[in-house]
Amino acid sequence: ISGDHWDAHDFVLDHGDTLVVVSDGILDFFETPSDGLRALSAMSDRGLGAQQMVDEITEFVTRFYRAIAQDDQFHRYFHTIANVDWHAHTRELTDFWADTLLGDPEEHRDAGELIEAHRWLHDADPFNEALFDRWLEILDTTLDHGWAGPMTDTARRRGHGFAWAMAKRLTGHATRRLS
């Protein structure tokens, strides 16, 4: 970029040091670039490589959607109307959340696509405010009982954003805002 100046530095990594290389696109998922760097640093401090990050997301998805699937308010959607194949659906959900948390912001599925993928369920048995509130309650509880830090904050913020957009488009009423 014309007029920009970039400093060059040499570093020597010691045994046990970690070098993390990311595109600036991953930082777009966070409120500020500093939040993104803190999240990456926290993962590095925990010794998480790329596969371990995906494993953490898989664990989150498994816990979260297990709670959703077992909840009385969601049972009819997953077990009666959609008759979900949980093995396949968990893989799709893991891919979705991994893209949401780690992927290129330009390539992940947007809220519009997410909403339209659920419209047929809403048409079969309309969603209501209580359903969205319960989804958010389970999301927050799952995150609170397993994770902390900037990546968790991003998952919470994105989850609340998805719920808000879906509720607004399908029911005409938005969910509570994340405070």
Side-chain angles (χ1 to χ4, degrees), residues 26-75:
I26 197 167
L27 301 177
D28 292 339
F29 284 108
F30 298 90
E31 286 292 315
T32 67
S34 294
D35 289 343
L37 293 173
R38 277 194 297 279
L40 293 169
S41 176
M43 286 183 268
S44 175
D45 291 347
R46 291 178 52 205
L48 295 181
Q51 184 58 52
Q52 289 91 0
M53 285 186 250
V54 171
D55 291 345
E56 288 283 322
I57 292 168
T58 302
E59 180 64 22
F60 156 67
V61 167
T62 301
R63 288 186 202 177
F64 177 48
Y65 287 96
R66 181 182 300 133
I68 291 285
Q70 294 174 356
D71 189 86
D72 290 341
Q73 290 188 53
F74 293 95
H75 187 273

Side-chain angles (χ1 to χ4, degrees), residues 79-141:
H79 300 285
T80 304
I81 299 170
N83 196 24
V84 169
D85 172 351
W86 280 105
H87 183 70
H89 197 50
T90 299
R91 283 195 312 263
E92 292 171 357
L93 293 166
T94 300
D95 287 347
F96 173 81
W97 280 100
D99 283 348
T100 296
L101 297 172
L102 301 173
D104 182 340
E106 300 301 318
E107 293 181 16
H108 72 77
R109 191 176 355 179
D110 69 19
E113 288 181 54
L114 178 68
I115 293 164
E116 293 310 312
H118 291 82
R119 183 175 294 283
W120 74 275
L121 283 170
H122 171 70
D123 290 344
D125 189 354
F127 301 162
N128 59 38
E129 184 178 343
L131 188 74
F132 286 104
D133 286 345
R134 182 67 180 136
W135 191 90
L136 290 170
E137 181 182 342
I138 294 170
L139 172 74
D140 290 338
T141 298

